[in-house]
Amino acid sequence: MKEMRSRGYMIFLVVFLGLVSQLDGWLSLIETTAIPFILTEFWPSLAPEVSGIEFGFWQGVFGIIVFLVFFIGWYADAYGRKKGILALLLVMGIPSILIGMFAYTLTLFLIFYSILIMGTTSNLWEVPVAEESPPERRGLYGSIAFLIGIIPLSAIIGITVIENFGWRWGYGVMFFLMLILLVMLYFMKEPQRWLDVKAGREKTLGIREALVKMNRKDAVYIAASTLVYLVWTMSFKLATSYGGVYYMSPTLGGLTLAQWKPIALIGGILLPISALISGLIMDKIGRRVVLVMGSVGSAISFIILGLTGSTIGFWGIYFFMAMVLAWIYVYLAEIFPTEIRTTSIGTCVTGARFGYVIGPLLASTLLLLDSTMLIFWVVGGILMFIPLLALLVKPFETKGLTLEKIEEQR
């Protein structure tokens, strides 16, 4: 039987896991500003859109490391959500300080960067929120944790850190947030749903046993969710890796860092607004409408940016891509059975990690084809129509249902 948590504990849990999400979000978004400086340092004689071709290639090659994220998901099913969150914090936080202190060659940077990116957008921090929330507020609580994670500190503080201490410490500063989160983790309780599942086991859940427990319906949801997450990841890498390049390249946007800062800040502010709106829509109307709105809105925004260069398109990408991610975070955390929830999510995330290889390689190819980046952004928009194919499996509507009812009825 699930133990009902106090309101005070739920506030703590949402804030704590929201800050884990903030660590995730910062490391995912700081590259929008950091990469133009990375390109200038390692390829000083080349224009950013030219050096971006080579950087995208190596970013994709080193991105192979991110497939190890599967083991974090399985670990949280086998040994508990607290230990899974601990592993996640270490995977993101330790490489951050290594970048800040030691990443003075491109190879070292890409190794440390690929390890920390393995932990970002893993969805693991959303699982305890889903397992502890009352069903009628699960979408809202999940979105609030997501909202905290995308408060635009990387645009407000991160750009200032880069201005004063260099791009490496735009990553390195997150080590100190990790230390704070390790203290907060001590006070987190293991979700009763996981404890109940653990009590019914004869032995620790092995990787093979976890995979065997997945049935046909699980496989369908893993395939559909992976499609959405993979395409989102590819387009996300295009936007975050090359948004700053597009606007600050002398031969394209020509903006200075000071001129770029308010554009990035407004985009960042739109992220939590989108998360809050998404949570309300998911709880009041349903999950599917958020996926549709986010996918179509993202596609149109990418195309507007490519055709016009307007910041409206750039800001629209941030707003609508956040809606798709809100659907991913909330839906994946509730649609799978408790016993194999994080392993199933880990399988989805592992499949989506192909985007961290394909996305940069695609970016490199598109920059080679068209240095104006028109094709670059239009292709990103076309990609974002693909997640709508997930609707063909008629995903089960989870609004207002307990996790037990979802497992029983889906």
Side-chain angles (χ1 to χ4, degrees):
M1 178 68 69
K2 178 185 179 298
E3 175 187 345
M4 295 301 295
R5 301 299 188 189
S6 68
R7 183 172 181 272
Y9 177 74
M10 285 305 303
I11 292 173
F12 161 77
L13 186 69
V14 170
V15 170
F16 165 57
L17 293 171
L19 290 174
V20 177
S21 174
Q22 176 61 231
L23 175 62
D24 178 330
W26 177 299
L27 294 174
S28 298
L29 295 171
I30 195 65
E31 64 183 29
T32 308
T33 299
I35 284 178
F37 292 93
I38 294 170
L39 299 182
T40 300
E41 177 169 335
F42 292 117
W43 292 277
S45 62
L46 299 178
E49 62 271 22
V50 177
S51 56
I53 296 171
E54 188 168 347
F55 178 75
F57 172 78
W58 288 113
Q59 191 182 24
V61 170
F62 279 84
I64 294 172
I65 295 174
V66 302
F67 292 109
L68 296 175
V69 70
F70 170 81
F71 294 99
I72 298 178
W74 160 76
Y75 186 75
D77 270 339
Y79 296 99
R81 308 319 191 204
K82 284 189 69 171
K83 291 181 179 178
I85 295 294
L86 172 62
L88 183 67
L89 290 174
L90 295 175
V91 164
M92 291 191 289
I94 292 176
S96 299
I97 193 68
L98 293 177
I99 289 176
M101 297 179 67
F102 302 114
Y104 285 93
T105 68
L106 180 64
T107 300
L108 281 177
F109 166 69
L110 287 171
I111 290 172
F112 300 147
Y113 167 82
S114 297
I115 294 172
L116 73 82
I117 287 295
M118 176 178 67
T120 60
T121 58
S122 71
N123 206 55
L124 180 58
W125 52 265
E126 188 75 62
V127 171
V129 177
E131 292 180 336
E132 300 281 36
S133 297
E136 67 277 5
R137 294 184 180 178
R138 192 169 55 244
L140 180 61
Y141 284 176
S143 292
I144 289 175
F146 176 42
L147 181 155
I148 295 171
I150 53 178
I151 293 172
L153 297 183
S154 62
I156 299 170
I157 301 173
I159 294 178
T160 302
V161 170
I162 289 174
E163 285 177 318
N164 290 279
F165 301 100
W167 63 265
R168 290 174 180 82
W169 284 100
Y171 291 96
V173 72
M174 283 294 98
F175 173 77
F176 303 103
L177 176 58
M178 181 202 74
L179 295 179
I180 295 171
L181 292 172
L182 289 176
V183 175
M184 295 180 73
L185 178 64
Y186 176 81
F187 299 98
M188 175 185 159
K189 301 175 183 178
E190 196 67 67
Q192 187 61 43
R193 281 190 170 96
W194 183 82
L195 292 174
D196 291 342
V197 167
K198 179 189 176 186
R201 292 176 182 161
E202 296 181 357
K203 60 179 181 178
T204 301
L205 184 71
I207 295 176
R208 182 178 179 279
E209 289 82 1
L211 294 173
V212 168
K213 286 179 180 292
M214 294 179 186
N215 59 32
R216 182 178 176 277
K217 183 60 71 173
D218 295 325
V220 169
Y221 280 107
I222 287 172
S225 300
T226 299
L227 174 68
V228 176
Y229 214 165
L230 169 63
V231 174
W232 182 91
T233 300
M234 291 171 60
S235 292
F236 174 77
K237 292 305 292 181
L238 296 182
T240 59
S241 293
Y242 292 92
V245 171
Y246 181 66
Y247 281 105
M248 287 192 282
S249 170
T251 56
L252 294 173
L255 301 184
T256 64
L257 181 60
Q259 292 170 322
W260 159 249
K261 189 172 183 177
I263 296 175
L265 178 59
I266 292 173
I269 291 171
L270 288 171
L271 294 175
I273 293 174
S274 174
L276 181 59
I277 291 172
S278 299
L280 293 171
I281 292 174
M282 281 190 280
D283 278 341
K284 298 298 182 182
I285 302 176
R287 282 32 172 175
R288 278 174 286 190
V289 67
V290 170
L291 175 61
V292 173
M293 290 173 62
S295 298
V296 174
S298 297
I300 293 173
S301 297
F302 267 102
I303 293 171
I304 288 174
L305 178 59
L307 294 177
T308 69
S310 170
T311 53
I312 298 298
F314 181 77
W315 293 331
I317 291 171
Y318 269 57
F319 182 85
F320 290 108
M321 290 288 277
M323 293 190 80
V324 178
L325 189 58
W327 179 89
I328 291 169
Y329 280 157
V330 171
Y331 200 68
L332 264 64
E334 62 187 5
I335 197 60
F336 298 110
T338 299
E339 185 172 16
I340 55 169
R341 178 167 291 123
T342 58
T343 303
S344 299
I345 292 171
T347 304
C348 293
V349 174
T350 302
R353 285 305 194 260
F354 279 99
Y356 283 95
V357 177
I358 300 171
L361 294 178
L362 175 63
S364 178
T365 302
L366 294 175
L367 288 171
L368 189 62
L369 292 174
D370 177 22
S371 62
T372 69
M373 296 185 71
L374 167 62
I375 297 175
F376 185 97
W377 297 119
V378 171
V379 169
I382 293 171
L383 285 174
M384 283 309 298
F385 284 114
I386 296 176
L388 298 176
L389 295 175
L391 299 176
L392 295 176
V393 304
K394 298 180 180 179
F396 181 70
E397 181 53 65
T398 56
K399 178 177 72 74
L401 298 177
T402 65
L403 296 182
E404 289 76 17
K405 284 290 185 183
I406 294 170
E407 186 174 344
E408 175 187 334
Q409 296 180 11
R410 58 170 195 160

